């Protein structure tokens, strides 16, 4: 059994203020090319299809085109999809019954009542059945109905409750598709595992959303989504495949690949092959003096997304304007020299607190790609006025 393991497509996402539609269509096209060439037994997508719970029409079109082109491959390749924390479970579940008749299997919601169960898709190969269990993103409150109305004490308890009631047969081959933050202990050293995260992932403070990998004991492979860097979690068969594209400057050093997983007979080691991906534009960090950065610009890199840190001791004249002559997609320009380092040493200076309305306005523009309207600004000002009043 050979299948593609994808996750965290984040269709509709922006990188700083740049629309990534062209980049996402390009990389999804490469996935389709691999599917036509290698014809896997399934394509598994472990959550965060979209970047927002209410995706734009443009984002829906991109994903619809991807599914359509995948489903046109002959013979048909089953496509298994779960919702992630960025997705709307209800929206993703829409038309799931109809799509199932075309071998596109979607699980948007976790079981919430006693008569509901995980969606299980069984595929066959020369060794027999492989059961794919589709576990969408969950919070403990989602499964209160499975616990007699009581709130599970942790994320681990919530996931364990959902899995144990399925009475999974460990003698058969089982694959879990899940979108959570899994941690645990390394089986060889016994040390705690702290998966690597990056700026584009939002995780709860204090690790309250951790799920211990002990709940995965009955699975021959865990196809995980949520973390953007590809990595195993203590065991070779428990893996985050990472994103297809770099979605933050902190991911600039990561190598993005397409994972193809091969399951043999029961008990045989799982093989994971990482296929190279070739993005339309890379994400890179540049550091040095302005003149050196400009001189080093290679023609094939001038369309890349770049984060620039300038080390000139004398601030150059209009650095961004000069950089834009050689780089078309500048994410940010920072200064790091003696003067800026001294400013970070506050000494006895008073720390200035930015206007919270302006801070939120900047955040809104970064996320939505537009400025707030006058009416939206008034609402935000009213909220902060109320907060100030309650704090007095």
């Amino acid at each position: 059994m050979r299948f593609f393991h994808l996750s965290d497509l984040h269709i509709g996402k922006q990188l700083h203020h740049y629309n990534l539609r062209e980049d996402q269509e390009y990389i999804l096209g490469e996935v389709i090319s691999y599917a036509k060439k290698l014809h896997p037994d399934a394509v598994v997508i472990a959550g965060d299809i979209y970047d927002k719970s209410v995706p734009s029409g443009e984002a829906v079109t991109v994903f619809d085109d991807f599914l359509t082109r995948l489903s046109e491959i002959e013979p048909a390749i089953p496509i298994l999809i779960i919702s992630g924390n960025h997705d709307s479970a209800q929206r993703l579940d829409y038309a799931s019954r109809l799509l199932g008749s075309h071998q596109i299997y979607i699980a948007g919601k976790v079981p919430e009542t006693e008569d509901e169960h995980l969606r299980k898709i069984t595929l066959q190969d020369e060794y027999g059945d492989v059961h794919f269990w589709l576990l969408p993103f969950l919070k403990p409150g989602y499964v209160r109905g499975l616990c007699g109305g009581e709130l599970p004490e942790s994320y681990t308890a919530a996931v364990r409750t959902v899995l144990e009631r399925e009475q999974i047969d460990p003698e058969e081959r089982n694959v879990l598709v899940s979108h959570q933050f899994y941690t645990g202990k390394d089986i060889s050293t016994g040390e705690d595992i702290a998966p690597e995260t990056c700026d584009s992932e939002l995780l709860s403070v204090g690790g309250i959303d951790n799920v211990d990998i002990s709940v995965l004991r009955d699975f021959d492979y865990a196809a995980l989504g949520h973390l953007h860097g590809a990595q195993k979690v203590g065991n070779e068969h428990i893996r985050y495949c990472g994103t297809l594209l770099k979605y933050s400057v902190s991911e600039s050093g990561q190598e993005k690949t397409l994972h193809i997983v091969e399951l043999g007979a029961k008990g045989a080691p799982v093989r994971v092959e990482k296929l190279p991906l070739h993005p339309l534009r890379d994400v890179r960090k540049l550091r040095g003096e302005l003149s050196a950065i400009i001189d080093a610009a290679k023609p094939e890199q001038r369309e890349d997304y770049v984060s620039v840190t300038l080390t000139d001791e004398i601030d150059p004249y209009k650095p961004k304007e000069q950089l834009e002559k050689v780089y078309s997609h500048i994410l940010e320009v920072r200064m790091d020299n003696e003067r800026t380092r001294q400013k970070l040493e506050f000494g006895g200076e008073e720390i200035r607190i930015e206007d919270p309305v302006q801070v939120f306005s900047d955040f809104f523009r970064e996320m939505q790609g537009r400025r707030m309207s006058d009416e939206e600004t008034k609402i935000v000002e009213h909220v902060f006025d109320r907060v100030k009043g309650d704090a007095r």
Side-chain angles (χ1 to χ4, degrees), residues 298-309:
K298 299 178 181 178
E300 67 272 18
Q301 297 176 340
R302 294 188 177 195
E303 291 292 315
D304 289 348
Y305 299 104
V306 295
S307 168
V308 181
T309 300

Side-chain angles (χ1 to χ4, degrees), residues 33-300:
S33 295
Y34 273 127
K36 290 179 178 178
K37 178 182 178 181
L38 301 175
H39 207 283
D41 297 302
V43 173
V44 172
I45 309 178
D48 278 359
I49 308 305
Y50 298 112
D51 192 55
K52 294 182 175 63
S53 59
V54 184
S56 66
E58 179 179 88
V60 173
T61 298
V62 171
F63 187 53
D64 178 69
D65 179 67
F66 175 61
L67 285 185
T68 300
R69 293 171 65 190
L70 266 184
S71 62
E72 289 174 346
I73 298 174
E74 294 291 345
I77 302 173
I79 305 169
L80 287 60
I81 304 169
I82 65 168
S83 63
N85 58 301
H86 280 251
D87 298 312
S88 165
Q90 291 78 9
R91 284 183 170 83
L92 207 58
D93 258 338
Y94 177 75
S96 60
R97 292 184 181 179
L98 175 63
L99 292 172
S101 64
H102 296 276
Q103 297 194 63
I104 301 174
Y105 305 102
I106 300 176
K109 295 175 59 181
V110 295
E112 297 178 352
T113 62
E114 287 295 335
D115 59 344
E116 295 178 343
H117 288 270
L118 284 183
R119 190 161 194 181
K120 180 178 74 170
I121 307 300
T122 300
L123 304 177
Q124 289 82 31
D125 64 7
E126 64 269 33
Y127 299 106
D129 292 342
V130 177
H131 306 295
F132 289 82
W133 301 85
L134 307 186
L135 175 61
F137 173 76
L138 65 79
K139 295 181 179 180
Y142 295 178
V143 296
R144 187 193 299 265
L146 305 181
C147 303
E150 298 293 327
L151 184 69
E153 61 182 13
S154 66
Y155 276 72
T156 299
V159 172
R160 180 175 286 116
T161 295
V162 173
L163 295 179
E164 288 185 347
R165 65 194 296 272
E166 300 298 335
Q167 298 182 340
I168 297 169
D169 185 354
E171 298 302 315
E172 298 190 6
R173 291 180 297 166
N174 297 289
V175 174
L176 180 69
V177 186
S178 178
H179 191 97
Q180 304 286 158
F181 182 46
Y182 284 91
T183 60
K185 293 185 179 296
D186 189 291
I187 57 175
S188 59
T189 65
E191 297 179 352
D192 289 334
I193 301 164
E196 296 180 2
T197 61
C198 58
D199 293 345
S200 52
E201 300 152 0
L202 297 176
L203 303 176
S204 297
V205 176
I208 61 172
D209 59 354
N210 293 14
V211 179
D212 192 276
I213 60 172
S214 61
V215 303
L216 306 177
R217 63 182 181 276
D218 292 334
F219 296 95
D220 299 272
Y221 185 78
L224 306 181
H226 195 35
L227 300 188
H228 290 193
Q231 57 196 292
K232 66 177 183 178
V233 187
N235 302 268
E236 293 294 334
H237 68 286
I238 302 175
R239 286 192 171 273
Y240 290 100
C241 62
T243 54
L244 299 174
L245 291 172
K246 299 174 183 179
Y247 284 133
S248 70
V249 175
S250 63
E251 297 174 52
S252 62
Q254 295 180 0
E255 180 184 3
K256 301 298 185 178
T257 57
L258 173 63
H259 285 42
I260 182 165
V261 181
E262 183 173 350
L263 289 181
K266 180 68 180 182
V270 175
R271 293 183 63 251
V272 179
E273 183 181 359
K274 300 176 183 179
L275 307 176
L277 291 170
H278 308 89
L280 187 62
R281 302 176 184 90
D282 200 358
V283 176
R284 298 189 298 117
K285 290 195 290 186
L286 306 176
R287 180 183 178 87
E289 294 186 352
L290 177 61
S291 60
I293 290 176
I294 291 176
D295 291 342
K298 299 178 181 178
E300 67 272 18

